[in-house]
Amino acid sequence: MIAFIHNLVVKTVKRRFKKNKDTPHKKLSEEVKNIEVSISHSISEVFFILIGVVSAGFGLKGFLLPNSFIDGGAMGISLLISETTGFSLSILIIIVNLPFIILGYSNIGKQFAIKSILAIIALALTVHFIPYPLITSDKLLIAVFGGFFLGGGIGMAIRGGAVIDGTEVLAIYLSKKTGLTIGDVILIGNVIIFSFGGYILSIEVALYAMLTYMAAAKTVDFIIEGVEEYTGITIISNQSEKIRLMITESLGRGVTVYAGKGGFGKKGAELTNFDIIYTIVTRLEIAKIKTEIDKIDKDAFIIMNSIKDTKGGMIKKRPLK
């Protein structure tokens, strides 16, 4: 935290507790820390949203709009209406997304709704005022890279706790009310949009729109879930202590150890107690850690499961030796 902001926060907190002179120093410190964390997160969220707005605007004006391409979701509806009626896309972005934001206000929260409506207004202003250059007229490049930048913008906005395409809010709401998954709702909605696009514009436009949507959806996944997927590894072995030392000391990774008991044994026999080791590595490091485990216990039982992202711990401290 910048010294100026830290000092300002300290003064604000002291002023707040000025009437109560008996307030312990520990409580003041905790309050300062909480406010600084909130400010830091807010700055980070605003940054993500702004980057998202600029990226989405570039995808729209640099690729899709000049070439009469459409996308899926609320943005696709806005583009389709704008193409068929000539109505301003900037205004349509706000109008089409407004019902979804109202729905998000009642189902997700006030802060989410406020950030989302501000992000959508910022995107509308960006599309209207910023003169992005036309990048290409090649249809395949338009579909792929238009979807990439638009999806990147949507993903960045979501990382900032807002949406610039409200379709997912509706999908979450309908999934709770029906037996459909969020993916099913989004898929059905996009099939309808692409069908209208094929009927009103052309089949070719609808097919390219599907490609644009797939590029955007995949980019959103990468932005939200992380490009580098982690793997959680659970190790059950009679040599658990040696494996723990190998992971923590030789490989420099953190572990969690929890007590376990064998679930299978002969009738009347006591079940074996042992320690279970759990650690997280990147996909590229799986082969290395399996080799090291085999050196200690070839019969070790190893369970692996995918993890989209992590925070904290010792995963990125240093590369495996």
Side-chain angles (χ1 to χ4, degrees):
M1 183 62 64
I2 300 172
F4 170 75
I5 297 177
H6 173 75
N7 294 332
L8 187 62
V9 171
V10 171
K11 289 179 182 178
T12 304
V13 171
K14 284 182 177 178
R15 195 179 300 116
R16 184 185 300 175
F17 290 100
K18 192 174 182 180
K19 294 181 180 179
N20 189 359
K21 296 182 179 179
D22 296 328
T23 303
H25 179 74
K26 184 178 179 181
K27 188 175 181 180
L28 290 172
S29 299
E30 287 179 356
E31 186 69 15
V32 169
K33 181 182 177 183
N34 290 339
I35 292 174
E36 287 182 342
V37 169
S38 297
I39 292 172
S40 176
H41 281 224
S42 296
I43 292 172
S44 175
E45 288 169 1
V46 170
F47 175 77
F48 278 127
I49 291 171
L50 289 176
I51 293 295
V53 166
V54 172
S55 177
F58 182 56
L60 288 169
K61 292 196 73 176
F63 293 92
L64 302 181
L65 280 177
N67 297 285
S68 301
F69 269 52
I70 63 171
D71 183 34
M75 193 63 68
I77 296 171
S78 304
L79 287 165
L80 188 58
I81 296 173
S82 179
E83 281 297 319
T84 53
T85 64
F87 202 73
S88 172
L89 178 65
S90 301
I91 298 173
L92 284 171
I93 288 172
I94 298 173
I95 293 173
V96 172
N97 278 289
L98 192 58
F100 300 125
I101 301 306
I102 294 171
L103 189 63
Y105 177 83
S106 59
N107 284 273
I108 299 176
K110 181 180 178 181
Q111 187 178 18
F112 166 81
I114 292 173
K115 286 194 291 186
S116 295
I117 193 63
L118 291 175
I120 289 166
I121 290 172
L123 177 60
L125 293 173
T126 298
V127 170
H128 187 76
F129 290 108
I130 297 181
Y132 288 102
L134 173 62
I135 303 302
T136 180
S137 296
D138 184 280
K139 292 182 178 180
L140 183 60
L141 292 178
I142 293 164
V144 173
F145 285 96
F148 171 78
F149 285 106
L150 183 57
I154 293 170
M156 283 292 185
I158 292 173
R159 287 288 294 270
V163 293
I164 52 178
D165 188 306
T167 314
E168 194 159 331
V169 177
L170 177 64
I172 292 170
Y173 174 77
L174 291 178
S175 68
K176 293 178 181 178
K177 299 294 182 180
T178 65
L180 299 172
T181 65
I182 294 173
D184 291 337
V185 175
I186 292 174
L187 178 63
I188 292 169
N190 284 322
V191 167
I192 295 171
I193 294 169
F194 296 146
S195 297
F196 272 102
Y199 177 75
I200 296 171
L201 301 175
S202 70
I203 298 296
E204 185 184 43
V205 169
L207 292 174
Y208 276 115
M210 292 179 192
L211 187 58
T212 302
Y213 167 72
M214 286 189 286
K218 197 63 181 176
T219 306
V220 170
D221 289 341
F222 277 139
I223 295 294
I224 296 172
E225 297 174 352
V227 177
E228 186 176 33
E229 187 174 311
Y230 296 97
T231 299
I233 302 179
T234 302
I235 307 154
I236 301 172
S237 168
N238 292 326
Q239 304 292 327
S240 57
E241 180 60 18
K242 288 184 179 180
I243 292 173
R244 182 189 71 80
L245 291 173
M246 176 272 294
I247 294 172
T248 57
E249 294 182 4
S250 299
L251 304 183
R253 292 295 181 268
V255 301
T256 298
V257 181
Y258 48 99
K261 182 181 287 189
F264 179 80
K266 294 181 180 179
K267 189 175 181 180
E270 290 187 6
L271 299 177
T272 306
N273 295 309
F274 47 76
D275 287 336
I276 300 171
I277 308 295
Y278 182 79
T279 188
I280 296 175
V281 297
T282 63
R283 289 179 294 182
L284 300 177
E285 297 167 338
I286 294 173
K288 174 67 175 176
I289 198 167
K290 285 173 69 177
T291 300
E292 295 302 317
I293 292 171
D294 281 348
K295 289 178 182 178
I296 298 170
D297 182 6
K298 287 187 176 181
D299 297 322
F301 184 49
I302 303 172
I303 305 166
M304 291 181 283
N305 58 289
S306 295
I307 295 170
K308 296 300 182 183
D309 206 353
T310 63
K311 183 179 183 296
M314 295 179 65
I315 297 169
K316 295 183 178 180
K317 288 289 184 183
R318 55 192 175 93
L320 290 177
K321 294 180 179 178

